[in-house]
């Protein structure tokens, strides 16, 4: 008698497509996925607990290590939260510097996301090396400003750690047209690739209502057609002073997420152009005591990080150490719809779908 | 919709529920809801007041209670946060209804609260530890958890071995 049964396989923890240590327990019917269970925690470092025994400023370097590709955005979100909690005013020049850094980080993240998506699809290291080449130029700028390429620790509560060096803005001005050209180049070479389209169009479909119910944020949400961006919905910093659009896609599949990232890079460059023109002179930081004691209270602040909504929930009991230090990671919560996106697809599509969500495992496990 | 409108509409819909506004010590609009009515209030917030997007579920350990904190936003309207809080005075066996049936996105975050703070959620579809392994001694985010270096020798026996890992 003919009999079929499902088999269970482990994808990961060491699997090249997960970009870290992440395990998915797949239940397969032949090649088709009937169930998927993600397993987390291989990289759990207990940053929330550790931060409770540090001062508010000492916790800034920890935020670098949440999502190590976008360390500037993480600093930014944490600084916004501490400022909301302690009621600190930030000078205008510092806000401009922050916006410049945040948008550069978005460019870095999206070009790597696109590059690694192609890596996962088997375009082994060619697109990603071009992405790395451009990323390297931006990291040079980060190093110029903060002294470090990846663990920048630059945006602090009250402002930024140091003023921009004199060469920074001319260099950035020169680079913006170059980066615009780079985005055009990606579109030209990759968007119409037949193999890519065969693997990406219609794969990993996520409808808009489901995306909202599953708390999906960032490019994945907007690729499903929901026009929601924290920069517009609840403007923080000085984002209400810039002109930019919130691009959305209709399809909600892997291909739409790829296009969405390219569109967002264009918008980031638009913001950068305005910021470089308008950045004023002045102070780069408000003096904040190193043992900052915010008044008793709590605050939740969030920003639009490259991967989605990055929030911090801080509770202060009036002492120099936070009573509760909670980070709302975009990567972990964007994974909550992974199972629904993968059901009915083949094993090879899991790799593509995971790549299109764009997670950093350090941000998932914290 | 202003905060006052949200509050008055909620009071209209639930005249018998003691919904408090936390006025001190918070920068956000905060409502404290009795734990046993949380699901009803949350469903009403989602269906009738437009708070369709649950951003964050977390918890705080205070000396006299646990607090589960929900941060809600509206995708349709945009705008600021509505913080929903539940007080759990039972420090021995804190338990609250899960909101995963309402917002499936709460799934992993509730598992995280269960894992790191030790609060159980009724009606959760898959309540397992998420970051730490089954058998890990204690819940690290509780204030009585000893924050020190744990050696490999100490923790290794608690770790599940294959094939049950």
């Amino acid at each position: 008698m003919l009999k079929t049964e499902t088999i269970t396989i482990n994808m990961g923890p060491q699997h090249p497509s997960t970009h870290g240590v992440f395990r998915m327990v797949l239940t397969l019917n032949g090649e088709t996925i009937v169930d998927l269970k993600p397993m987390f925690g291989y990289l759990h470092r207990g940053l929330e607990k550790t931060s409770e025994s540090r001062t508010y400023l000492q916790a800034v370097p920890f935020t670098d290590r949440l999502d190590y590709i976008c360390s500037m955005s993480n600093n930014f979100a944490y600084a916004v939260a501490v400022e909301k909690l302690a009621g600190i005013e930030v000078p205008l020049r510092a806000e401009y510097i922050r916006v410049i850094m945040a948008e550069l980080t978005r460019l870095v993240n999206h070009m790597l996301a696109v590059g690694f998506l192609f890596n996962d699809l088997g375009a082994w290291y060619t697109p990603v090396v071009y992405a790395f080449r451009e990323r390297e130029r931006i990291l040079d700028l980060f190093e110029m400003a903060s002294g470090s390429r990846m663990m920048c620790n630059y945006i602090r509560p009250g402002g930024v750690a140091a003023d921009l060096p004199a060469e920074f803005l001319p260099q950035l001005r020169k680079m913006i047209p170059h980066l615009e050209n780079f985005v055009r180049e990606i579109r030209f070479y990759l968007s119409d690739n037949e193999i890519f389209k065969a693997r990406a169009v219609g794969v990993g479909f996520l409808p808009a209502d489901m995306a909202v119910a599953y708390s999906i944020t960032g490019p994945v949400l907007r690729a499903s057609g929901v026009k929601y961006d924290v920069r517009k919905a609840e403007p923080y910093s000085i984002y209400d002073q810039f002109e930019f659009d919130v691009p959305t896609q209709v399809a909600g599949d892997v291909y739409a997420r790829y296009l969405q990232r390219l569109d967002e890079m264009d918008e980031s460059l638009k913001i950068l152009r305005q910021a470089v023109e308008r950045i004023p002179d002045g102070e780069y930081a408000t003096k904040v005591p190193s043992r900052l004691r915010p008044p008793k209270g709590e605050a939740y602040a969030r920003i639009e990080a490259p991967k989605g909504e990055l929030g911090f929930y801080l509770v202060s009991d009036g002492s120099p150490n936070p009573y509760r230090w909670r980070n709302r990671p975009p990567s972990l919560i964007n994974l909550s719809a992974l199972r629904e996106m993968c059901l009915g697809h083949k094993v090879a599509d899991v790799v593509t779908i995971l790549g299109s969500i764009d997670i950093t495992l350090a941000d998932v496990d914290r | 919709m202003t905060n006052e409108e949200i509050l008055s509409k909620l009071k209209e819909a639930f005249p018998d529920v003691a919904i408090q506004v936390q006025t001190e010590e918070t920068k956000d609009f905060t409502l404290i809801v009795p734990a046993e009515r949380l699901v009803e209030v949350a469903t009403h917030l989602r269906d009738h007041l437009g708070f369709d997007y649950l951003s964050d579920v977390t918890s705080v350990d205070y000396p006299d209670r646990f607090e589960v904190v929900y941060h809600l936003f509206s995708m349709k309207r945009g705008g600021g946060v509505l913080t929903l809080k539940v007080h759990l005075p039972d420090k021995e066996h804190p338990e609250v209804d899960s909101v995963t049936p309402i917002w499936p996105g709460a799934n992993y975050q509730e598992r995280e609260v269960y894992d790191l703070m030790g609060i159980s959620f009724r009606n959760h579809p898959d309540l397992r530890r998420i970051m730490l392994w089954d058998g890990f001694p204690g819940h690290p985010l509780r204030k009585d958890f000893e924050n020190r270096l744990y050696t490999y020798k100490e923790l290794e026996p608690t770790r599940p071995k294959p094939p049950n890992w």
Side-chain angles (χ1 to χ4, degrees), chain A residues 24-188:
Chain A
M24 287 168 282
V25 181
L26 307 176
T27 310
L28 300 177
N29 180 5
E31 269 276 300
T32 311
I33 290 157
V34 291
D35 196 12
L36 183 150
K37 262 190 196 168
M39 299 284 184
F40 313 95
Y42 294 94
L43 221 57
H44 181 64
R45 295 152 293 170
L47 286 184
E48 289 184 9
K49 183 69 177 178
T50 316
S51 306
E52 284 176 11
S53 54
R54 302 290 194 278
T55 66
Y56 285 89
L57 279 180
Q58 280 173 338
V60 178
F62 293 149
T63 64
D64 286 331
R65 285 145 180 87
L66 289 171
D67 177 357
Y68 45 80
I69 294 170
C70 324
S71 59
M72 288 280 197
S73 302
N74 301 340
N75 294 165
F76 193 3
Y78 180 63
V80 170
V82 174
E83 283 150 13
K84 186 173 175 185
L85 184 67
I88 301 168
E89 289 287 318
V90 183
L92 190 60
R93 183 176 172 83
E95 295 280 27
Y96 269 92
I97 297 174
R98 286 175 174 196
V99 168
I100 290 175
M101 294 303 179
E103 295 309 317
L104 284 174
T105 310
R106 197 181 313 278
L107 286 169
V108 167
N109 182 73
H110 285 357
M111 60 180 67
L112 281 198
V114 168
F116 276 114
L117 177 62
F118 277 87
N119 218 16
D120 295 341
L121 284 168
W124 194 241
Y125 266 107
T126 306
V128 84
V129 165
Y130 282 96
F132 265 126
R133 188 188 64 185
E134 303 310 316
R135 172 180 182 251
E136 209 57 36
R137 296 178 208 264
I138 296 177
L139 293 191
D140 283 347
L141 286 179
F142 286 173
E143 186 175 14
M144 208 188 267
S146 72
S148 175
R149 290 165 67 256
M150 281 175 78
M151 301 295 129
C152 298
N153 188 13
Y154 181 60
I155 299 173
R156 310 268 177 90
V160 293
D163 205 358
L164 292 178
E167 317 87 64
F168 185 94
L169 286 173
Q171 180 92 6
L172 180 57
R173 266 193 203 102
K174 258 196 289 179
M175 222 162 70
I176 291 171
H178 180 85
L179 288 169
E180 283 168 346
N181 196 33
F182 172 67
V183 180
R184 269 200 296 276
E185 240 173 42
I186 298 184
R187 275 185 207 282
F188 180 75

Side-chain angles (χ1 to χ4, degrees), chain A residues 23 38 40-41 49 52 84-85 213 215 217 233 297-298 300 302 309 315 323-324 326 328 336 364 366, chain B residues 25 27-28 53-59 61-62 73 79 85 104-105 108-109 112 130-131 140 142-143 165:
Chain A
R23 182 156 67 102
F40 313 95
K49 183 69 177 178
E52 284 176 11
K84 186 173 175 185
L85 184 67
S215 305
T217 49
E298 55 190 64
Y300 179 75
R302 55 180 191 156
E309 179 187 317
V315 179
Y323 189 77
R324 180 78 170 90
R326 153 78 177 166
R328 185 241 189 243
S336 53
V364 173
R366 305 191 306 294
Chain B
E25 297 177 7
K27 307 277 179 200
D28 307 312
Y53 165 48
L54 175 73
S55 164
D56 180 47
V57 181
T58 185
S59 56
D61 178 7
Y62 289 107
F73 293 92
K85 271 188 185 179
Y108 295 155
Q109 304 185 68
E112 199 181 320
I130 186 168
M131 295 297 169
R142 286 192 180 182
K143 291 291 174 188
W165 54 287

Side-chain angles (χ1 to χ4, degrees), chain A residues 263-310:
Chain A
D263 289 352
E264 287 190 11
M265 281 163 83
D266 285 338
E267 297 303 320
S268 289
L269 285 163
K270 238 190 241 176
I271 297 175
L272 276 177
R273 265 191 190 281
Q274 297 169 41
V276 169
E277 288 315 311
R278 301 213 299 250
I279 182 167
D281 287 330
E283 288 290 311
Y284 62 87
T286 322
K287 268 254 177 273
V288 172
S290 62
R291 280 171 72 80
L292 175 70
R293 290 165 188 270
K296 213 169 171 215
E298 55 190 64
Y300 179 75
R302 55 180 191 156
I303 71 162
E304 183 72 32
K307 292 189 165 65
E309 179 187 317
L310 175 63

Side-chain angles (χ1 to χ4, degrees), chain B residues 76-93:
Chain B
K76 294 177 198 118
R77 286 198 305 270
V81 62
L82 167 67
T83 310
L84 212 59
K85 271 188 185 179
V86 171
H87 286 189
L88 305 173
D90 183 4
K91 293 281 280 189
E92 292 295 315
H93 303 287

Side-chain angles (χ1 to χ4, degrees), chain A residues 1-16:
Chain A
M1 204 172 83
L2 202 66
K3 195 177 111 202
T4 60
E5 59 182 46
T6 56
I7 53 166
T8 305
I9 61 163
N10 275 313
M11 202 161 156
Q14 273 83 25
H15 189 278

